[in-house]
Amino acid sequence: MEATSQSQERGILVGVCRDARRRSFEKESLRELEELVSSAGARVMEVFLQERAELNPSYLVGRGKLEEIQNAVMRWRADLVVFDEDLTPGQLRNLEEFLGTKVIDRSELILDIFTQRARSREGKLQVELAQLEYLLPRLTGRGLMLSRLGGGIGTRGPGETKLEVDRRTIRVRLSRIKKELKRLEQRRELQRRKRQGVPIPTVSLVGYTNAGKSTLFNLLTQEETYVSSRMFATLDPLVRKTSFESGQEILLSDTVGFIRKLPHTLVAAFHATLEETLQADLILHVIDIAHPNHLALRQAVYEVLEEIGLEDTPVVECYNKIDRLRQIPHLDFSQDRVFTSARTGEGVSGLLDQIEVLINQNYRKVHLTIPFDRGDVVSQLRERAHIRVQEYREDGIHLEASLPVADLGRYQQFVD
Ligand SMILES: Nc1nc2c(ncn2[C@@H]2O[C@H](COP(=O)(O)OP(=O)(O)OP(=O)(O)O)[C@@H](O)[C@H]2O)c(=O)[nH]1
Ligand SMILES: [Mg+2]
């Protein structure tokens, strides 16, 4: 549900910078926090950056800054204060008491956005799991702090209901969710195996949130995936088949966007949704070239890819949104870098060519005839090759397949 302007929450943001050398990073992070807050449906009224080497253990920020924030809360009649740093349960309590309004941190904000966006059953459960694990250590003696001040950001439970309040209920719920997730995971694994019966190369779109992955996905598959200027528009990974002019088919998958300072509890859930990507033959890394800090965001994406063990999958970098630039910067052209506008379609055919080249680089198209008594060879090929056509003929099983170059010798005797 979209908040209307009357009911829109009014937020104040607070960032902390402990080290002058990190000043521009923290400022950038605050700008991003501002976008996140608007994505969650609230309006940003004022932004504070505390620069201080020593943090106050009770309030994070110093007394002077705290009073400034308090004044701003009153001046703007703010409904919430969002900290760009993670707060301890104690700090959270102290700050709420002092400021007399709801206080949340970056993690809680991102969790809230994920809660709003999750669509599939699995996505919803993953987010609920992350949210409950985040809340558990933050329970006060009597119950959940969240039953605290009003509704809005940070108080939304998964689904339509408010979160249940006591520790025991949460534990029971957590173990149910885990069980259910395991079941769904097994089902997905089965579906994936079924797809692997006829292996088609898979290409996975990854990138920082808002880079244009879904827009590009729609363009390439002629599908209507949800595109939005809000961050984290896509949470549930989507897989669709599409084909090149040559007839070569690929499976393309759209994935959840990345972000820096992702809440720890979400990391696990988030990695699970990237499982499809783990199977990819090629990664299409979409980068918003119009973003002033796109190099840092690009780096953040590579860090996550490495964390989940994807550093060996070949990558094509797709510098998107070139329509927003006056001229394309002079980056040295290379095989694995393309410039596109998913909005105008510019550069997209070049991108397709590039994908096709890379996918076929290590494969050769061959026609094979396998004798009927060599079912073992057919099953080996199912694992290794991309089979396009399979026909039973008088002289044996006829296959039209793309074979890894390295395997050509081994199957030479069957080549027509
Ligand atoms: N100007 C311009 N805008 C674009 C282009 N591609 C995408 N956009 C816009 O950028 C915003 C984000 O696009 P999405 O396709 O939702 O981005 P995403 O990477 O899927 O984002 P998440 O799902 O949130 O991670 C939308 O407002 C798009 O219309 C482009 O080539 N040029
Ligand atoms: Mg998307």
Side-chain angles (χ1 to χ4, degrees):
M1 205 170 51
E2 207 75 71
T4 62
S5 57
Q6 286 86 18
S7 66
Q8 220 177 2
E9 286 183 89
R10 299 145 78 87
I12 286 170
L13 311 190
V14 184
V16 185
C17 179
R18 258 164 284 197
D19 179 348
R21 282 167 301 181
R22 284 174 59 85
R23 197 153 182 272
S24 72
F25 174 85
E26 294 300 345
K27 281 192 142 172
E28 160 70 23
S29 179
L30 262 176
R31 256 197 303 276
E32 193 172 88
L33 189 72
E34 204 168 330
E35 272 178 65
L36 284 167
V37 169
S38 332
S39 283
R43 215 162 92 207
V44 174
M45 313 309 291
E46 199 167 335
V47 182
F48 292 90
L49 180 64
Q50 160 98 89
E51 303 196 50
R52 200 186 151 101
E54 287 288 304
L55 295 180
N56 178 330
S58 315
Y59 293 99
L60 195 74
V61 295
R63 194 73 190 195
K65 190 60 81 184
L66 196 60
E67 276 163 15
E68 275 179 56
I69 298 168
Q70 190 185 36
N71 285 336
V73 167
M74 290 193 281
R75 193 165 57 247
W76 296 111
R77 284 180 285 118
D79 307 285
L80 85 159
V81 179
V82 188
F83 280 75
D84 201 22
E85 290 285 306
D86 276 345
L87 299 169
T88 65
Q91 287 169 343
L92 208 60
R93 232 178 354 254
N94 295 339
L95 285 164
E96 287 203 330
E97 232 159 69
F98 191 94
L99 297 171
T101 189
K102 184 169 63 180
V103 174
I104 65 173
D105 60 20
R106 185 183 176 97
S107 291
E108 202 175 339
L109 177 66
I110 294 177
L111 279 167
D112 187 273
I113 296 176
F114 273 59
T115 306
Q116 289 184 53
R117 304 280 197 278
R119 291 282 170 275
S120 72
R121 171 124 188 91
E122 191 170 10
K124 280 186 181 158
L125 287 171
Q126 273 161 345
V127 176
E128 187 178 353
L129 182 73
Q131 203 172 30
L132 294 177
E133 278 176 347
Y134 176 86
L135 286 175
L136 207 51
R138 287 170 175 76
L139 293 178
T140 58
R142 279 173 302 119
L144 194 60
M145 232 185 326
L146 276 196
S147 47
R148 49 191 194 195
L149 307 151
I153 296 174
T155 59
R156 276 179 275 255
E160 300 306 313
T161 54
K162 276 205 171 185
L163 286 162
E164 277 298 337
V165 287
D166 72 77
R167 215 181 276 265
R168 199 186 58 85
T169 327
I170 289 186
R171 290 239 165 79
V172 172
R173 180 77 190 134
L174 271 175
S175 77
R176 273 210 202 117
I177 294 175
K178 284 183 186 156
K179 235 184 254 160
E180 173 77 4
L181 276 174
K182 194 159 272 167
R183 211 175 53 79
L184 290 171
E185 199 181 303
Q186 282 162 352
R187 201 165 70 189
R188 206 149 37 90
E189 176 63 32
L190 259 166
Q191 283 164 349
R192 189 158 51 223
R193 280 211 213 115
K194 235 191 262 166
R195 273 209 304 272
Q196 280 170 345
V198 188
I200 300 179
T202 48
V203 177
S204 208
L205 284 156
V206 303
Y208 211 75
T209 179
N210 221 33
K213 298 176 292 297
S214 298
T215 313
L216 205 55
F217 180 86
N218 289 346
L219 198 68
L220 297 175
T221 60
Q222 269 118 52
E223 282 282 334
E224 283 304 311
T225 308
Y226 184 49
V227 168
S228 162
S229 61
R230 300 184 306 176
M231 298 169 102
F232 296 113
T234 308
L235 277 191
D236 303 315
L238 256 182
V239 186
R240 289 278 181 277
K241 193 151 58 169
T242 185
S243 55
F244 299 114
E245 266 169 32
S246 66
Q248 160 94 60
E249 289 186 318
I250 56 164
L251 287 176
L252 195 66
S253 69
D254 186 14
T255 64
V256 61
F258 295 5
I259 192 158
R260 287 176 294 184
K261 300 198 203 167
L262 189 73
H264 290 301
T265 55
L266 259 183
V267 173
F270 180 75
H271 283 184
T273 62
L274 283 172
E275 253 171 50
E276 296 291 344
T277 308
L278 294 174
Q279 317 288 324
D281 295 278
L282 184 69
I283 287 173
L284 199 58
H285 179 180
V286 184
I287 297 159
D288 174 359
I289 198 173
H291 191 290
N293 231 334
H294 66 266
L295 286 178
L297 306 190
R298 169 181 174 272
Q299 190 53 36
V301 169
Y302 281 120
E303 276 161 25
V304 180
L305 289 181
E306 198 164 317
E307 244 172 70
I308 53 181
L310 282 168
E311 65 271 30
D312 293 332
T313 312
V315 177
V316 175
E317 290 186 346
C318 176
Y319 287 87
N320 190 38
K321 307 200 187 180
I322 52 169
D323 59 293
R324 295 188 57 196
L325 299 183
R326 259 185 246 117
Q327 62 180 70
I328 297 176
H330 288 287
L331 288 166
D332 44 315
F333 266 90
S334 72
Q335 229 197 353
D336 34 27
R337 187 180 284 152
V338 286
F339 296 89
T340 60
S341 165
R343 179 161 287 175
T344 66
E346 199 182 338
V348 171
S349 68
L351 168 66
L352 281 171
D353 291 344
Q354 199 50 40
I355 296 174
E356 194 165 14
V357 167
L358 284 170
I359 279 178
N360 291 325
Q361 208 165 46
N362 302 315
Y363 287 84
R364 283 287 172 286
K365 204 167 138 186
V366 288
H367 292 259
L368 304 154
T369 305
I370 320 281
F372 287 119
D373 60 356
R374 296 302 305 273
D376 59 316
V377 175
V378 177
S379 35
Q380 273 172 26
L381 284 168
R382 281 224 180 90
E383 300 266 310
R384 295 162 185 273
H386 301 136
I387 298 174
R388 276 187 221 149
V389 181
Q390 174 169 339
E391 275 172 13
Y392 291 85
R393 293 188 185 166
E394 276 175 23
D395 55 346
I397 301 166
H398 180 83
L399 300 178
E400 194 184 311
S402 290
L403 208 59
V405 173
D407 287 344
L408 275 177
R410 185 196 310 242
Y411 300 104
Q412 197 57 48
Q413 52 174 312
F414 304 112
V415 174
D416 291 347

